[in-house]
Amino acid sequence: MVHLTRQLRERIIVWCHEQNKTLRVISELAGCSISTVFEVLRLYTEYGTVINPNARPRGRPRTLDMQDMNFVRSVIEGEPAIYLDELRDRVYNRLHSTCSLSA
């Protein structure tokens, strides 16, 4: 399924239920397939929302929060030529958090 914003998903409901547009027209307006429109309508009918309430979050949790990232940014701004292993060591010493050197 194509990633659609919540706002666009809600527009799909309006186009279908309030403006009585066809599925083909809705798919063209939303820039997605007819099956994606069907899925949004199914979620709305089944759960009363355009977002699947049973969906699990994607990816793994972040290791560093925004405060940690601000610390990393300040170190890099203060020492632009710092080596990654030195930066990693500073992060660990200050935050007691390990992070990978991979991109």
Side-chain angles (χ1 to χ4, degrees):
M1 182 152 93
V2 175
H3 175 74
L4 301 176
T5 64
R6 182 184 197 100
Q7 183 180 13
L8 186 53
R9 290 169 176 263
E10 290 169 351
R11 271 321 293 154
I12 288 172
I13 302 304
V14 170
W15 288 330
C16 181
H17 294 298
E18 295 177 16
Q19 297 179 4
N20 298 316
K21 296 191 183 297
T22 66
L23 296 177
R24 182 181 303 271
V25 170
I26 293 171
S27 71
E28 290 171 3
L29 289 170
C32 64
S33 67
I34 291 175
S35 63
T36 299
V37 173
F38 270 123
E39 178 63 13
V40 171
L41 295 172
R42 182 191 68 77
L43 288 171
Y44 184 75
T45 301
E46 193 169 325
Y47 300 109
T49 181
V50 294
I51 304 295
N52 186 350
N54 299 320
R56 296 164 66 186
R58 295 183 181 186
R60 68 178 190 194
R62 294 185 178 260
T63 303
L64 304 175
D65 62 19
M66 278 309 286
Q67 186 176 6
D68 299 339
M69 292 301 294
N70 288 336
F71 168 72
V72 171
R73 184 176 296 112
S74 70
V75 171
I76 293 171
E77 287 173 354
E79 296 180 54
I82 191 170
Y83 288 103
L84 288 177
D85 59 337
E86 294 172 353
L87 179 60
R88 180 194 57 210
D89 293 343
R90 288 218 195 150
V91 168
Y92 179 77
N93 291 333
R94 169 83 185 270
L95 307 173
H96 302 292
S97 178
T98 58
C99 58
S100 170
L101 293 178
S102 62

